[in-house]
Amino acid sequence: MKSMTGYAKVQCAIGDKKLNIEIKTLNSKQLDLIVKTPAAYRSRELDIRAMLGQLERGKVECLFNEESGNNAAATFNSELLTTRYQSLVDLAANLGADCADNRPTLFNTVAAMSDIWNSAADSEINDEQWVVVSAALQQAINLCDQFRSHEGSVLEVDFRKHVDLIEEKLNQIPALESERIDTAKERIKRYMADAAIKDIDENRFEQELIYYLEKLDITEEKVRLQKHIDYFRQTMADEATCGKKLGFVAQEMGREINTTGSKANHAGIQKIVVEMKDELEKIKEQLGNVL
């Protein structure tokens, strides 16, 4: 069993630069990818998203961050600088504004524009560099998956604790059932006595009593609840991505517990039902984090 919560960070070298790849994952009903990369990696975004699809489900945020080396070369686009500078000078002349004294300031302003400068970091990565990057990304994905597996094992321990308590409380019910039947018989007899009903047909009375007790019988609910408990445990042990299935099983467990409570007609059993519901809610609170 795996959690949808995960984290990984990997660093690799691309020329004289260092690339940090960071992956964070949280719970989500579907696969929700957020990819943030420098401009040099934009052409590879579809490949990056395809690789991140291995994480299957959850909100996945992948960040690429470059650390440039000391010798990173940068040049300016002289043609673009000239065009923008001259355009501004011409515009000022057309508007009747004399900018002769301010031309040095105007030049410095245009030269400071970020897109005037072309850094080596802005050039797209080539196929050889992509091999290095994709290997680092795969390593980050594997580490994130390992993190999820560890978190999943922690959740599994917690789930087993609550499921064991539900089973323990389920096994307490049979001891109270015979008392429940005797109480029901005495209650019916008391009602008839209070109504001063005489000449009771004992056979008919027994038939009606059996019919009444059958409506209160919770044997099937107990059996089904035990089967759901066993299936919940088996699913946790056998399947890595079982969050949705466990959610369905927990829903069925809740159905049987609720039916048991509505048919119990016994304070002791209803108390046990409340306790089982409490344990089941603790499971449901964490199921949203299971992959």
Side-chain angles (χ1 to χ4, degrees):
M1 189 174 76
K2 296 179 182 177
S3 169
M4 275 191 278
T5 302
Y7 179 80
K9 186 174 183 179
V10 171
Q11 187 178 83
C12 65
I14 306 295
D16 64 344
K17 297 171 293 185
K18 291 182 180 178
L19 174 65
N20 295 304
I21 301 177
E22 187 176 11
I23 299 177
K24 302 175 185 178
T25 64
L26 297 171
N27 60 310
S28 178
K29 291 183 178 179
Q30 306 298 331
L31 179 62
D32 181 13
L33 292 178
I34 301 173
V35 179
K36 298 179 181 179
T37 65
Y41 300 86
R42 298 286 165 76
S43 62
R44 300 287 182 173
E45 184 169 337
L46 290 178
D47 297 320
I48 294 170
R49 287 179 173 272
M51 292 181 67
L52 290 171
Q54 298 173 56
L55 294 172
E56 298 185 57
R57 194 158 69 97
K59 183 178 180 180
V60 179
E61 185 175 3
C62 182
L63 306 176
F64 281 51
N65 180 41
E66 278 189 346
E67 298 177 13
S68 298
N70 294 329
N71 298 323
T75 60
F76 65 88
N77 188 332
S78 58
E79 183 178 351
L80 181 59
L81 187 151
T82 302
T83 300
R84 287 188 179 176
Y85 173 77
Q86 193 59 50
S87 296
L88 291 173
V89 171
D90 293 342
L91 178 60
N94 291 335
L95 295 175
D98 186 5
C99 64
D101 295 337
N102 296 317
R103 289 194 178 191
T105 302
L106 180 61
F107 177 86
N108 291 335
T109 300
V110 176
M113 293 180 178
S114 59
D115 57 346
I116 293 293
W117 295 88
N118 297 318
S119 170
D122 295 331
S123 59
E124 292 187 359
I125 60 171
N126 55 40
D127 292 341
E128 184 178 346
Q129 291 171 326
W130 170 245
V131 171
V132 177
V133 172
S134 60
L137 177 58
Q138 186 60 56
Q139 182 184 359
I141 291 171
N142 293 341
L143 290 174
C144 185
D145 193 55
Q146 292 174 19
F147 191 105
R148 284 176 149 193
S149 295
H150 176 266
E151 290 296 305
S153 64
V154 174
L155 285 175
E156 183 176 350
V157 171
D158 187 60
F159 286 157
R160 287 189 180 278
K161 179 184 71 175
H162 296 304
V163 168
D164 289 348
L165 286 172
I166 291 174
E167 184 178 50
E168 179 183 321
K169 296 179 188 305
L170 174 62
N171 292 332
Q172 294 173 5
I173 292 178
L176 301 176
E177 285 191 278
S178 58
E179 177 185 337
R180 182 176 68 118
I181 294 172
D182 292 339
T183 301
K185 287 181 179 179
E186 291 301 322
R187 185 186 302 116
I188 293 173
K189 289 180 179 180
R190 187 169 61 253
Y191 288 159
M192 297 180 71
D194 291 343
I197 299 175
K198 300 178 180 179
D199 300 326
I200 300 173
D201 185 336
E202 292 295 333
N203 290 331
R204 181 60 184 273
F205 175 76
E206 289 295 331
Q207 290 175 0
E208 293 296 332
L209 182 61
I210 291 171
Y211 174 75
Y212 175 73
L213 293 177
E214 282 180 347
K215 293 183 67 176
L216 297 180
D217 184 63
I218 56 175
T219 301
E220 290 186 10
E221 285 75 13
K222 291 187 299 177
V223 171
R224 285 196 293 263
L225 178 55
Q226 183 62 59
K227 288 185 178 298
H228 294 326
I229 289 172
D230 295 338
Y231 189 45
F232 193 97
R233 289 176 177 143
Q234 179 185 343
T235 302
M236 284 195 299
D238 296 345
E239 301 182 29
T241 56
C242 56
K244 290 183 178 180
K245 184 180 288 188
L246 290 179
F248 296 143
V249 178
Q251 185 176 354
E252 292 303 311
M253 289 171 64
R255 194 189 310 277
E256 302 304 333
I257 292 173
N258 287 334
T259 305
T260 299
S262 64
K263 295 171 68 174
N265 202 27
H266 185 279
I269 295 178
Q270 287 172 334
K271 178 183 176 182
I272 290 174
V273 165
V274 171
E275 292 171 346
M276 287 194 292
K277 283 183 177 182
D278 183 50
E279 298 301 328
L280 185 60
E281 282 303 311
K282 293 175 182 176
I283 292 174
K284 289 181 176 180
E285 287 174 4
Q286 294 295 333
L287 275 178
N289 293 322
V290 180
L291 184 62

